[in-house]
Amino acid sequence: MESHPSYALLSELTTKYPRTAGSLLQTYNDLKLAQQWEDLEVFEVPSCSRGAFKGQRPNTTAVLYVIPCSLSESLSLSWFRDAFEDMGKPPHIYLAINAEDSNIVYYKLSPGIVKPPV
Amino acid sequence: MADGRAKRIELRVSNHKAYVWDLEDLALLRAQHHICGVLAGTLPHLSQQNIFLGLPLVLMPEEVVFLVQKEIAVLVDDPLAHQPPSTAQLEAWNRDRKAGVKAQIAASEAKEAVGIKAAKSTSEDAIRKRKEREQKRAAAARAKALAEGSQDLFAPPVETLVATDALASTDQPAIPSASLNSSNVAWMVTVPASSSAELEWYSSEGVTYATIEDAQAAGVWLYPSTSFERAKCAVFRDLWEKGHYMGGGIRFGADFLVYPGDPLRYHSHFAASVIESPIASLKPMEIVAHGRLGTATKKAHLLCGWDQAKQEVSYYSIEWAGFG
């Protein structure tokens, strides 16, 4: 992991939160290189013991927030509540669910009863 | 004793399930109280299908708990409400039943008589035509025999004519007497849908429960009995207060389907799952499963968390991100 080009940017958080280091690095690489997000920044979410990202999808201006987790973790609704609080109460957060084979699926979480787009 | 209970809808409980057997109550529940339920009865005239069903209406346990707690309905122990009839009531019922059977047999026999008469007139025409044909044939055969000089004359079918005549003039078979023991006429027994409206000996007096606790104490009702069931009741109530209509969620892998209005007019926007408490474990795989299914069916999945301590529901909507 240490030899990966992305490691340097994330080393502070991977050292502080080793349990989520894997999903943090995977998600960063996916967003940066595969999804080609722009203005990608990493920041700390202390209540969830991990780092998270914010950035923009290519050719858009909306700032989106992504929090990584592993498929093998156990979350809860209070975890969501804490994540929304710590991340500055954005309208929605994307949960990046990392599998062991490096597959990532993103799900959009919105607080409240939000109708799906038509 | 002027209490609101007199106007409360009677939910008839049998084997821990609540049924609505009265059509007016069904309409009231739907139109005024936004409770839809599910029709579960077969239609007597269309029994070999299950696309269109009829009374009774079955309610979800959350709907029942909601209605009783809101004092809109009461629970009736239906088996016990069917009291034993008095001798006079039983005799009257038996008299009515026998009169009904007699009427049915008489009606079906009258119908049969009309049928026989119609059939007879056709056979009269047929007999006459047959007569004419045979006479023509006989005449032709005799002419042919004479022409050929044959000694064996074809005997005119006078005997056949006499036979068919005889058949035509026999009396109709005697109409069987309208006795209840006649085995060749079928009649039907009617079972009333609404016992309360049609059976004199039905009474909900003394077997009605105005609270869930009372019904549970009497062993008539069980729900809710776990904290998860209590959470489902709380979420149902909260969604109802927000103006939604709810249906069963099993078709979409959820606890409820949530409609913005009457399900006859709208598709549901949400499939809702109830989370028992804010700290209940939630696996990412559940989010994947719920989210994907919701998105594939043009709905969003709603995670509804019940906080027993704060007595409030928190909602999160899940959707597939559309990228990744």
Side-chain angles (χ1 to χ4, degrees):
Chain A
M1 186 195 286
E2 290 79 5
S3 55
H4 195 285
S6 308
Y7 182 75
L9 184 73
L10 307 171
S11 59
E12 199 189 309
L13 287 169
T14 52
T15 320
K16 189 168 182 188
Y17 303 112
R19 268 216 260 136
T20 54
S23 46
L24 189 75
L25 187 69
Q26 275 308 124
T27 307
Y28 177 78
N29 288 332
D30 190 68
L31 289 174
K32 178 105 189 144
L33 304 168
Q35 309 302 328
Q36 307 207 302
W37 278 31
E38 289 153 2
D39 299 334
L40 197 56
E41 290 172 33
V42 62
F43 60 95
E44 190 181 351
V45 184
S47 57
C48 300
S49 308
R50 65 194 68 211
F53 304 99
K54 73 175 181 193
Q56 297 155 34
R57 290 186 70 185
N59 305 319
T60 63
T61 49
V63 175
L64 304 177
Y65 293 80
V66 181
I67 189 163
C69 74
S70 155
L71 200 57
S72 57
E73 288 192 70
S74 251
L75 309 175
S76 67
L77 291 193
S78 62
W79 189 93
F80 292 166
R81 187 193 59 220
D82 294 340
F84 272 96
E85 281 288 331
D86 271 7
M87 287 163 85
K89 295 207 177 107
H92 36 255
I93 296 180
Y94 291 86
L95 185 65
I97 303 172
N98 291 252
E100 290 295 302
D101 65 352
S102 84
N103 258 304
I104 307 184
V105 283
Y106 297 90
Y107 279 86
K108 183 170 157 185
L109 281 174
S110 315
I113 303 176
V114 178
K115 265 199 328 197
V118 182
Chain B
M1 183 175 52
D3 65 343
R5 200 179 305 175
K7 300 190 213 105
R8 290 203 217 164
I9 294 169
E10 291 189 334
L11 300 179
R12 309 191 192 282
V13 179
S14 178
N15 204 22
H16 310 301
K17 273 193 155 60
Y19 299 90
V20 179
W21 286 96
D22 304 288
L23 199 55
E24 297 77 29
D25 289 343
L26 189 157
L28 209 64
L29 283 171
R30 194 178 190 114
Q32 252 186 46
H33 303 297
H34 301 178
I35 297 290
C36 300
V38 173
L39 287 171
T42 45
L43 298 174
H45 292 280
L46 272 174
S47 53
Q48 305 249 359
Q49 53 80 40
N50 60 2
I51 310 289
F52 299 106
L53 297 175
L55 290 171
L57 189 76
V58 182
L59 298 177
M60 288 193 290
E62 294 85 10
E63 291 175 315
V64 176
V65 171
F66 169 78
L67 287 168
V68 175
Q69 286 178 342
K70 273 269 195 195
E71 301 186 357
I72 295 168
V74 288
L75 297 177
V76 173
D77 187 338
D78 211 25
L80 288 187
H82 288 81
Q83 317 264 356
S86 69
T87 318
Q89 286 171 334
L90 205 48
E91 283 172 353
W93 179 84
N94 220 12
R95 269 200 306 276
D96 288 342
R97 186 181 68 90
K98 285 185 179 158
V101 171
K102 269 206 178 123
Q104 284 184 56
I105 291 176
S108 77
E109 282 171 355
K111 206 166 128 190
E112 218 182 291
V114 171
I116 288 170
K117 204 161 162 239
K120 188 171 179 253
S121 56
T122 348
S123 69
E124 265 182 6
D125 284 341
I127 288 164
R128 185 173 40 83
K129 284 188 182 146
R130 215 181 302 142
K131 254 194 257 180
E132 288 167 4
R133 256 185 272 129
E134 300 229 13
Q135 281 172 335
K136 275 195 207 146
R137 229 183 287 140
R142 256 182 272 128
K144 189 160 167 243
L146 278 169
E148 289 173 0
S150 157
Q151 295 294 326
D152 295 81
L153 280 173
F154 189 85
V158 176
E159 294 79 29
T160 355
L161 288 174
V162 169
T164 46
D165 270 343
L167 194 66
S169 64
T170 47
D171 290 333
Q172 276 186 31
I175 298 168
S177 58
S179 85
L180 290 173
N181 298 322
S182 75
S183 54
N184 58 339
V185 181
W187 39 271
M188 290 191 284
V189 179
T190 315
V191 178
S194 175
S195 300
S196 62
E198 296 181 48
L199 297 182
E200 267 187 60
W201 53 89
Y202 185 94
S203 171
S204 51
E205 194 81 39
V207 287
T208 301
Y209 304 91
T211 67
I212 294 292
E213 293 72 29
D214 286 347
Q216 284 174 325
V220 168
W221 187 253
L222 302 174
Y223 198 95
S225 55
T226 66
S227 54
F228 181 56
E229 291 175 355
R230 276 185 284 274
K232 281 203 276 187
C233 289
V235 169
F236 180 91
R237 189 190 184 121
D238 197 74
L239 286 167
W240 187 96
E241 303 282 7
K242 287 177 153 66
H244 297 102
Y245 286 64
M246 267 66 65
I250 184 120
R251 284 199 304 276
F252 291 90
D255 291 314
F256 304 117
L257 284 187
V258 182
Y259 298 82
D262 193 302
L264 283 174
R265 297 178 61 203
Y266 297 91
H267 280 298
S268 58
H269 288 161
F270 301 101
S273 291
V274 174
I275 312 294
E276 203 174 317
S277 88
I279 54 168
S281 158
L282 187 60
K283 307 293 286 172
M285 193 54 121
E286 290 176 55
I287 295 172
V288 175
H290 290 321
R292 206 52 156 141
L293 180 58
T295 304
T297 55
K298 296 206 191 91
K299 301 182 202 300
H301 202 93
L302 218 51
L303 291 179
C304 314
W306 170 240
D307 191 331
Q308 177 70 16
K310 290 190 190 162
Q311 294 279 301
E312 59 182 35
V313 185
S314 54
Y315 297 97
Y316 290 93
S317 310
I318 318 174
E319 251 187 283
W320 179 52
F323 64 83

